[in-house]
Amino acid sequence: MVTSESAINKETELCLQTDFLDNFHNVESMKVALVRTMLHSVGKDPEEATNRDWFYAIAHLLRGVLNQRHIQTTRHHYRNGNKKVYYLSMEYLMGRSLEKVLLDLGAEDLVSGALSELGISLPEVIECEFDAALGNGGLGRLAACFLDSLATHNYPGFGYGIRYEYGIFTQDIKDGRQVEHPENWLRYGNPWEVKRPNVLYPIHFGGRIACFKNAQGSEECHWVDTQEVMAMAFDVPISGFDTNTVGNLRLWSSRATRDFNLRFFNEGDYEDAVREKTSSENISKVLYPNDKTQLGKELRLKQEYFFVSASLQDIIARHLRYHKSLDDLPDLTAMQLNDTHPALAVPELMRLLIDVHGYSFEEAWQMCTKTFSYTNHTLLAEALETWPVSMMAEILPRHLELIYLINDEFLRITRHSFPGNTAILHRVSLIDDERHSVRMAHLAIVGSHKVNGVAALHTQLLRSTMFFDFDRIYPDKFVNVTNGITPRRWLLQANPKLAALITEHIGDGWTHDLSLLSQLAPKADDPAFREQFIAIKRANKQRLADWLQKNFNVTVNVDSLFDMQIKRVHEYKRQLLNVLNIITLYNRICKNPGGNHTPRTFIFAGKAAPGYDIAKLIINLINDVAETVNNNPLTMDKLKVVFVPNYSVSQAEILIPACDLSEQISTAGTEASGTGNMKFALNGALTIGTLDGANIEIKEEVGADNIFIFGMNTEEVQSQRMSGYNPWTYYDNIECLKLCLDMIGNGYFSNGDKSRYRPLIDSLLHGGDHYMLLGDYESYVTCQENVARARRDTHDWARRTILNVVHMGKFSADRTIHEYAKEIWGIRSL
Ligand SMILES: *Cc1c(COP(=O)(O)O)cnc(C)c1O
């Protein structure tokens, strides 16, 4: 370590006194700095430079600002010695960074001014950046929002993740069907990351356990004869809004060990050496594209272990650089498990404490449970991770052994609390004896001091159903922390016009404290304000219409109601229910073309997991229905269906501000929280939704009159399931529903091909309609009629949308992070 009196440190302190950004604080000096960066760092003649070259020049310059501030932040944290939180997540759905960084630094006008003097357009430069799409959907986007809130509110928080070479696949639509392509987002290099070739840890797999008596005569067990892979760190600085704090996201990339290659080389087997290198480097190659399902693939287990082992070794090394021992680790460190994907951190920390640092099992266990907390993200049983015992025995034998020891101890205590109750022991065991698998959620619960759900209903259901036994065993462990979204990206950045209108009336304090929006509530009754609101929505719809025209050659009517369902495609999210309503409207218009039909544009976007056939078939159906309704002269003026390919964060930023009606229509009791619902309401869309996830809390905030709620609630869904839900009752009794299903089944949308959509019809009529689309159909269609009626009163619609916006304060990720900080992590803002 550099001592504070050293010459280097004096120079550094001097340097840190001036923020790097101050060196080019006017348009003239920024212009000079950008041209110089183009010459020196990008190495391109500015006259020849493309928009992409300018992107790299700007990013390079700003990275300098972020790096310096990050070092300053780190010095600050360590000088303070405060408790820190490490957020462990296999996914981060970051999107683009350039505009975010410009907004955070307050440098957007400066850079856009400098560029325009050079004849370059900032918006075009921004478009050159690839989305960092290291996640599937909501869970990964939540992690990205949290990093923003942690930095903005000056918390000592750090993210850990994997530097996938290939993030989520890009989606093409060919003949109406989803086609996946890998996307090498690092092709031109990632200007935001800093490679740390010296931050390198060995990760072990396979091998066996060797036990022996140590000098003190007690038994010690070690993991030996393993294969080794290296984890190399890449750091991505995370700016906060309007603060000098810069946080960090450390992403691990797998590398072959030099030793391993050498061994083969020495034995003269070059091909084996190369194969070994490739297989080691495959670990961080690609994100698994499954949202809420589990594949049980060996490479995925290796990825999970690779990630937690590298992160824990790093956290421990950092701790020991500033502290004598690990004794105070739990007092100074909190670790959050984002779902069970990093749950192997529990046995890995046990292994490091026991096998490497000499703690007893009991001491290590105390330390673990004090350190970890776990966020559950789903109520779908098929999404709960389990790993075959045999696979774990093969790849992680020492961890399996530790899991058995943890389980023995846990079951011993539980037996004590529930004498004679052997059923509960079977239910809560970390090992599923029938399926011979390890239950990762049980491991995460037992290894954590707090477990949280992500919306009030979700937490309540976790406690009453899925983890009922655990709630009895640990009465204080389960807590709710309702999700949130960052208002910087999802309002300030995505909807600058609305952001400006808000700031004009209440100042810009809302960017840090979204609850201040409520000051605008009286404006809902102000006709002039409503007019401004309507004009902004229209401008955003026009922006989207232009974008659809330019990129997809699709024309939409900006005067129609923009009705959007954009999210991963999954049966429980019920895109198919939306389609049933569209077909119902289509039939109605065909029957009575002169009727008073509210023109609507239905916009869908979302990816399906590549192996999820039913979800892919739903995408196919949406596109086939679009083909039919968009080309029928009777309906084309009233109905338009658009499927926007390759949904992403950047697409969400242009779609959401243009939305009138947000579809949040999952079967009650299936969507843990949803965060898309929050983004839409914050941007002045009304929600049509079920009493599911955070929709319930949105309803509480905006008022029942300002949201369209339909369908069964969770209790009704549960009692229908108990009493034998029968989809045929609805098919036989609701004529327009029967017509829709028969049209799909008889090939109306597939050129007479009756087989194409058979699996969809079968899943509804013969497969039991698990998500109860037919049960909610009538209520949904009626509710959509109410929407259409409400829409005719433009001013009253505007009033309701304003009330949605102003009552979104609760759903800021800042509020969420403050709750985690106080109730779970015990950390304080600096
Ligand atoms: C917010 C977001 C999600 C989550 O949407 P839900 O409607 O909550 O499922 C998924 N993908 C992207 C790109 C997002 O921005």
Side-chain angles (χ1 to χ4, degrees):
M1 275 309 294
V2 176
T3 67
S4 49
E5 297 82 25
S6 75
I8 290 180
N9 195 50
K10 276 193 198 124
E11 214 50 56
T12 311
E13 287 286 350
L14 203 64
C15 201
L16 289 176
Q17 273 170 23
T18 317
D19 190 83
F20 191 42
L21 193 58
D22 292 343
N23 294 319
F24 22 85
H25 59 280
N26 58 35
V27 168
E28 195 50 38
S29 56
M30 177 57 80
K31 195 167 67 183
V32 175
L34 287 175
V35 171
R36 286 204 171 131
T37 311
M38 185 63 79
L39 292 167
H40 301 158
S41 303
V42 181
K44 189 103 181 229
D45 186 332
E47 283 245 84
E48 311 275 312
T50 61
N51 281 334
R52 179 176 296 118
D53 294 323
W54 287 108
F55 164 69
Y56 281 95
I58 301 164
H60 206 92
L61 195 68
L62 298 176
R63 189 179 90 173
V65 178
L66 299 184
N67 283 342
Q68 179 175 324
R69 289 190 186 182
H70 175 240
I71 288 166
Q72 209 161 14
T73 303
T74 308
R75 285 187 162 215
H76 202 66
H77 285 329
Y78 280 102
R79 212 168 288 143
N80 272 272
N82 292 331
K83 189 172 183 184
K84 298 167 184 53
V85 65
Y86 297 101
Y87 196 77
L88 305 187
S89 177
M90 291 278 283
E91 303 191 10
Y92 291 90
L93 200 49
M94 305 295 279
R96 291 179 177 140
S97 292
L98 177 54
E99 196 173 11
K100 167 186 166 40
V101 171
L102 287 172
L103 285 170
D104 286 347
L105 299 179
E108 193 162 34
D109 291 346
L110 201 59
V111 170
S112 104
L115 284 178
S116 82
E117 290 198 4
L118 296 166
I120 311 293
S121 140
L122 178 59
E124 283 176 26
V125 170
I126 284 171
E127 291 284 315
C128 293
E129 183 175 2
F130 279 96
D131 271 40
L134 308 183
N136 274 290
L139 173 150
R141 184 54 231 173
L142 184 76
C145 284
F146 283 0
L147 293 181
D148 179 72
S149 288
L150 283 167
T152 297
H153 290 278
N154 311 304
Y155 282 110
F158 305 85
Y160 277 103
I162 293 180
R163 181 179 178 272
Y164 302 107
E165 247 170 83
Y166 296 86
I168 190 68
F169 61 86
T170 55
Q171 177 196 53
D172 259 357
I173 301 297
K174 284 261 147 58
D175 299 327
R177 284 185 273 268
Q178 168 174 302
V179 182
E180 305 91 18
H181 299 286
E183 181 178 72
N184 186 351
W185 69 292
L186 297 167
R187 190 156 63 240
Y188 302 101
N190 175 5
W192 305 111
E193 69 185 10
V194 182
K195 183 177 180 173
R196 308 265 183 221
N198 296 321
V199 182
L200 200 64
Y201 298 97
I203 313 295
H204 301 273
F205 296 103
R208 63 190 174 85
I209 312 298
C211 296
F212 57 89
K213 286 248 187 313
N214 66 16
Q216 288 79 42
S218 53
E219 182 167 87
E220 258 183 46
C221 290
H222 286 264
W223 187 16
V224 298
D225 295 344
T226 54
Q227 295 160 4
E228 207 175 275
V229 174
M230 304 304 291
M232 185 189 287
F234 286 73
D235 286 342
V236 183
I238 306 292
S239 51
F241 181 72
D242 195 23
T243 170
N244 283 341
T245 298
V246 171
N248 191 47
L249 171 59
R250 179 159 280 185
L251 300 175
W252 299 108
S253 180
S254 58
R255 299 289 139 121
T257 56
R258 290 173 64 210
D259 283 0
F260 213 84
N261 285 334
L262 273 177
R263 208 186 78 215
F264 279 114
F265 275 121
N266 293 341
E267 288 162 10
D269 198 338
Y270 184 74
E271 273 184 35
D272 271 358
V274 172
R275 195 172 308 121
E276 189 57 44
K277 183 173 161 63
T278 313
S279 103
S280 303
E281 304 198 338
N282 272 344
I283 289 178
S284 61
K285 187 74 76 185
V286 54
L287 167 76
Y288 276 89
N290 306 296
D291 192 55
K292 300 192 155 69
T293 47
Q294 192 314 81
L295 274 178
K297 288 277 195 292
E298 195 172 298
L299 185 61
R300 168 70 181 198
L301 181 63
K302 286 187 172 175
Q303 252 183 9
E304 292 183 352
Y305 178 64
F306 166 83
F307 165 54
V308 300
S309 180
S311 305
L312 283 173
Q313 290 185 67
D314 194 48
I315 290 166
I316 286 175
R318 282 182 180 194
H319 184 91
L320 290 178
R321 228 178 298 151
Y322 299 92
H323 303 92
K324 283 198 288 292
S325 80
L326 293 176
D327 293 357
D328 52 1
L329 183 81
D331 299 318
L332 295 172
T333 315
M335 298 188 208
Q336 189 68 32
L337 307 176
N338 194 25
D339 212 308
T340 57
H341 316 147
L344 285 169
V346 174
E348 174 65 357
L349 183 57
M350 290 295 283
R351 184 188 72 85
L352 291 166
L353 292 175
I354 297 168
D355 295 0
V356 181
H357 296 277
Y359 288 91
S360 71
F361 183 91
E362 291 70 25
E363 290 165 335
W365 186 241
Q366 280 274 326
M367 293 167 77
C368 260
T369 52
K370 232 175 130 176
T371 304
F372 288 115
S373 40
Y374 154 57
T375 305
N376 175 282
H377 285 272
T378 180
L379 290 155
L380 305 182
E382 68 268 29
L384 285 186
E385 262 192 312
T386 59
W387 289 106
V389 168
S390 57
M391 195 188 288
M392 216 178 263
E394 191 72 30
I395 296 171
L396 300 167
R398 178 63 176 144
H399 297 79
L400 181 61
E401 188 173 61
L402 287 164
I403 289 168
Y404 281 138
L405 291 174
I406 293 166
N407 199 34
D408 288 346
E409 181 61 14
F410 166 59
L411 293 181
R412 189 182 64 76
I413 293 169
T414 307
R415 197 175 293 117
H416 206 77
S417 312
F418 298 87
N421 188 345
T422 51
I424 196 173
L425 300 181
H426 279 282
R427 292 198 302 267
V428 299
S429 173
L430 308 194
I431 308 294
D432 181 334
D433 286 320
E434 274 92 65
R435 293 180 183 77
H436 305 287
S437 60
V438 182
R439 296 159 163 160
M440 303 306 275
H442 295 197
L443 176 62
I445 294 169
V446 172
S448 298
H449 64 285
K450 284 281 186 278
V451 176
N452 76 284
V454 291
L457 172 71
H458 173 225
T459 303
Q460 181 208 313
L461 289 171
L462 285 180
R463 298 178 68 170
S464 61
T465 60
M466 208 171 214
F467 301 137
F468 173 78
D469 293 317
F470 286 100
D471 192 43
R472 284 208 293 167
I473 298 169
Y474 305 115
D476 300 322
K477 203 175 265 204
F478 289 84
V479 295
N480 177 247
V481 186
T482 298
N483 279 169
I485 56 169
T486 170
R488 272 76 61 182
R489 183 174 294 261
W490 297 114
L491 182 51
L492 187 64
Q493 181 180 326
N495 198 343
K497 289 192 165 75
L498 182 55
L501 177 68
I502 293 167
T503 298
E504 186 189 316
H505 286 276
I506 61 168
D508 63 3
W510 61 270
T511 55
H512 282 85
D513 177 1
L514 199 65
S515 69
L516 295 176
L517 288 183
S518 64
Q519 294 172 359
L520 274 174
K523 288 279 167 199
D525 295 321
D526 174 349
F529 189 82
R530 287 184 196 167
E531 285 296 344
Q532 288 176 299
F533 219 80
I534 291 166
I536 288 168
K537 180 59 76 181
R538 198 186 156 82
N540 290 332
K541 289 170 76 172
Q542 189 63 55
R543 177 177 76 161
L544 174 61
D546 296 344
W547 181 84
L548 289 170
Q549 189 66 254
K550 177 165 171 255
N551 291 284
F552 304 101
N553 198 27
V554 166
T555 310
V556 294
N557 170 12
V558 292
D559 293 319
S560 65
L561 185 148
F562 281 14
D563 177 325
M564 298 190 189
Q565 189 170 20
I566 59 176
K567 48 179 76 239
R568 283 300 285 248
V569 180
H570 202 295
E571 286 164 286
Y572 86 84
K573 290 176 183 277
R574 301 201 294 191
Q575 278 92 354
L576 188 51
L577 179 59
N578 190 338
V579 173
L580 292 178
N581 177 58
I582 293 171
I583 299 173
T584 305
L585 293 177
Y586 173 80
N587 290 335
R588 238 184 243 170
I589 298 169
C590 287
K591 210 166 157 189
N592 176 18
N596 185 12
H597 307 286
T598 301
R600 283 207 206 206
T601 303
F602 289 91
I603 299 176
F604 291 88
K607 296 175 184 178
Y612 189 174
D613 292 335
I614 290 277
K616 292 174 95 169
L617 205 52
I618 292 170
I619 291 175
N620 199 169
L621 178 63
I622 294 168
N623 284 296
D624 279 349
V625 169
E627 186 70 20
T628 304
V629 309
N630 297 350
N631 291 300
N632 185 332
L634 287 179
T635 56
M636 57 199 289
D637 295 339
K638 303 280 168 50
L639 267 191
K640 179 113 194 177
V641 180
V642 180
F643 187 95
V644 186
N646 200 33
Y647 184 49
S648 65
V649 170
S650 291
Q651 258 190 29
E653 289 168 23
I654 191 159
L655 288 164
I656 291 171
C659 180
D660 294 309
L661 186 66
S662 154
E663 301 269 354
Q664 307 299 337
I665 60 175
S666 51
T667 315
T670 62
E671 187 75 271
S673 159
T675 49
N677 47 4
M678 302 167 188
K679 298 168 197 167
F680 279 110
L682 182 61
N683 282 279
L686 298 190
T687 303
I688 182 165
T690 46
L691 288 173
D692 199 18
N695 296 352
I696 295 174
E697 289 157 82
I698 291 175
K699 174 180 167 236
E700 281 165 13
E701 296 297 307
V702 307
D705 292 344
N706 302 312
I707 186 168
F708 297 94
I709 297 292
F710 73 94
M712 290 179 258
N713 64 24
T714 307
E715 273 180 23
E716 288 162 342
V717 167
Q718 280 168 351
S719 77
Q720 284 257 355
R721 288 222 169 108
M722 301 283 260
S723 64
Y725 169 79
N726 182 6
W728 287 100
T729 329
Y730 303 98
Y731 177 84
D732 290 333
N733 292 312
I734 307 171
E735 205 176 324
C736 52
L737 170 62
K738 179 172 188 298
L739 180 59
C740 289
L741 293 170
D742 290 347
M743 286 165 78
I744 297 170
N746 293 332
Y748 186 89
F749 301 104
S750 44
N751 301 313
D753 179 353
K754 291 183 159 65
S755 63
R756 188 179 303 169
Y757 295 114
R758 204 68 254 162
L760 289 186
I761 300 300
D762 283 350
S763 82
L764 297 179
L765 292 178
H766 303 285
D769 183 17
H770 185 68
Y771 295 107
M772 300 181 167
L773 283 72
L774 306 198
D776 273 347
Y777 168 86
E778 204 160 36
S779 160
Y780 180 55
V781 169
T782 306
C783 193
Q784 287 284 22
E785 288 162 14
N786 295 337
V787 169
R789 202 168 308 114
R791 175 66 183 184
R792 294 196 188 114
D793 186 344
T794 320
H795 260 256
D796 194 58
W797 181 280
R799 181 184 63 82
R800 296 181 185 195
T801 66
I802 294 165
L803 289 174
N804 268 258
V805 174
V806 306
H807 289 127
M808 277 302 111
K810 172 172 176 184
F811 304 101
S812 169
D814 299 342
R815 187 270 312 150
T816 312
I817 281 297
H818 292 316
E819 285 182 12
Y820 277 102
K822 189 157 178 279
E823 309 295 334
I824 296 181
W825 302 331
I827 62 164
R828 291 218 312 260
S829 164
L830 288 184

